[in-house]
Amino acid sequence: MSTDAIVLLKNDHKEIRKQFKEFQSPKATTAQKGKTVKKIIELLTMHTYIENEVMYPRVRDLLPDLEDDVLESYEEHHVADVLVMELSMMRPTDERFEAKTTVLIENVEHHMQEEEQDWFPKVRTGLGRKALQELGTELAAAKKRAPKKPSQTSALKKTIDAVIA
Ligand SMILES: [Fe+2]
Ligand SMILES: [Fe+2]
């Protein structure tokens, strides 16, 4: 199995998009949407954790030219975190549940596209194959310890970092 960092992160994106589609399916019932959102919350909590803790700091260190992209991405994660936190406290029958999820999906889709099309290609060129393999191994290890719920301490750290880091 490839441990290339970008391949690994894009695979996460694929899994996330699959759940987005599930949510948007016209056939989905309220109960099914509730289940899908739980899954989305889990996937996003893990994914933003490994990017915040491993990928972004390393890119910032090694490729200072990408500093602005990384900082913008931290903020986009933060917006997603706020919505994820709110959704995790709501019921699928709540009036704003569906709209909030739709806004989350729009924001995350925009963010993943920027990663995939704008600056991950620059990371690939800048770091090269070997460094990306090493980074991929680190990401895989981080995924094992990653929080699955936004209320876990390791997930909450992002909220503090967003303001005072
Ligand atoms: Fe991201
Ligand atoms: Fe990502």
Side-chain angles (χ1 to χ4, degrees):
M1 204 184 101
S2 169
T3 51
D4 179 288
I6 293 175
V7 172
L8 191 145
L9 294 173
K10 279 188 176 173
N11 279 339
D12 274 6
H13 290 180
K14 220 188 265 174
E15 244 190 289
I16 291 164
R17 285 195 177 101
K18 205 175 131 208
Q19 296 304 321
F20 286 176
K21 280 222 179 75
E22 202 73 39
F23 179 85
Q24 290 162 332
S25 159
K27 281 184 259 160
T29 62
T30 304
Q32 282 167 339
K33 284 184 182 184
K35 267 192 190 158
T36 305
V37 169
K38 272 206 180 111
K39 187 79 196 155
I40 290 172
I41 289 171
E42 186 180 311
L43 290 173
L44 287 179
T45 302
M46 294 174 77
H47 183 73
T48 52
Y49 174 85
I50 65 170
E51 285 189 341
N52 275 41
E53 293 297 314
V54 178
M55 183 74 174
Y56 292 0
R58 196 55 54 85
V59 170
R60 214 175 159 185
D61 261 4
L62 299 172
L63 304 169
D65 282 357
L66 295 182
E67 169 98 356
D68 289 350
D69 293 294
V70 172
L71 288 174
E72 191 182 316
S73 289
Y74 273 127
E75 289 312 312
E76 288 171 349
H77 280 190
H78 183 53
V79 170
D81 286 343
V82 170
L83 296 170
V84 158
M85 179 63 88
E86 290 174 357
L87 279 169
S88 73
M89 296 182 295
M90 289 169 79
R91 285 182 303 258
T93 47
D94 289 343
E95 189 183 34
R96 295 175 73 164
F97 185 83
E98 178 123 14
K100 205 179 285 292
T101 306
T102 300
V103 172
L104 173 70
I105 290 174
E106 284 167 2
N107 272 278
V108 171
E109 190 47 60
H110 162 87
H111 170 72
M112 293 192 300
Q113 267 178 38
E114 274 190 355
E115 286 184 333
E116 290 174 10
Q117 288 161 25
D118 290 0
W119 66 274
F120 279 2
K122 295 182 206 159
V123 173
R124 177 165 300 291
T125 313
L127 292 189
R129 200 168 163 272
K130 191 167 175 285
L132 281 171
Q133 294 281 331
E134 285 164 8
L135 195 49
T137 307
E138 271 187 72
L139 284 167
K143 214 172 168 180
K144 288 198 182 121
R145 62 167 192 268
K148 292 192 164 113
K149 288 183 184 163
S151 54
Q152 280 170 260
T153 319
S154 51
L156 289 169
K157 180 180 173 289
K158 281 183 288 186
T159 313
I160 299 158
D161 287 347
V163 188
I164 61 163

